[in-house]
Amino acid sequence: MKTQKVNPSTMNPMEMNNISSMMSSMNLIQKIGKSKRKYNIEIGKNEKKFLAKFLEEAKKQFPSGNDSGVKPLISFFDYLIEICKNKKINEIKLSYEELEFLKKMLSDSVKGMEDMKFKWYQFLKKSMVKIMLKQYRMLLKTIN
């Protein structure tokens, strides 16, 4: 992939923040699956169900080919989904990079939902987003 040069003076601060966030996420993706899982996270039944659904949707966002850069990420998602679907296990083991990547994904989702604007007649969508926002915050609090 060829890098593209960007003139920082032509970008607004919001675009700069988005690009730096994306670059830090890409840096974390490269490190996933390379270290030992030594951090334990206690997670409840409801959080496990929500995390499994969130991860299934996140897994769809990444290409599922044999690309070596995405393969560890897909296996990480599969590991977490498997743990979440097992009713007997109440703790998740993660490495530092995996934990930070999961926190970053959840916090970016929360920021995206907070910035959503709705028309006055979209009250159903607005209420659904509020409910999902509470669930995301609860899961993020549990992981932190």
Side-chain angles (χ1 to χ4, degrees), residues 96-119:
Y96 178 75
E97 290 83 14
E98 293 169 345
L99 182 63
E100 289 300 313
F101 179 70
L102 195 58
K103 284 181 188 178
K104 185 167 234 9
M105 278 180 41
L106 288 169
S107 64
D108 286 346
S109 297
V110 167
K111 286 178 187 174
M113 280 189 229
E114 286 174 344
D115 293 340
M116 285 183 161
K117 303 288 184 207
F118 296 102
K119 304 282 184 189

Side-chain angles (χ1 to χ4, degrees), residues 1 5 7 11 14 17 19-20 25 38 50 66 77 81 84-85 89 93 106 108 121 129 132 138 141:
M1 189 164 121
K5 292 183 180 181
N7 186 359
M11 298 176 69
M14 186 69 155
N17 287 340
I19 289 174
S20 66
S25 296
K38 54 186 174 181
F50 186 71
N66 292 332
F77 287 154
I81 291 170
C84 289
K85 294 200 175 184
I89 300 174
K93 286 186 172 272
L106 288 169
D108 286 346
Y121 52 85
V129 167
M132 285 178 57
M138 186 173 62
K141 185 178 177 184

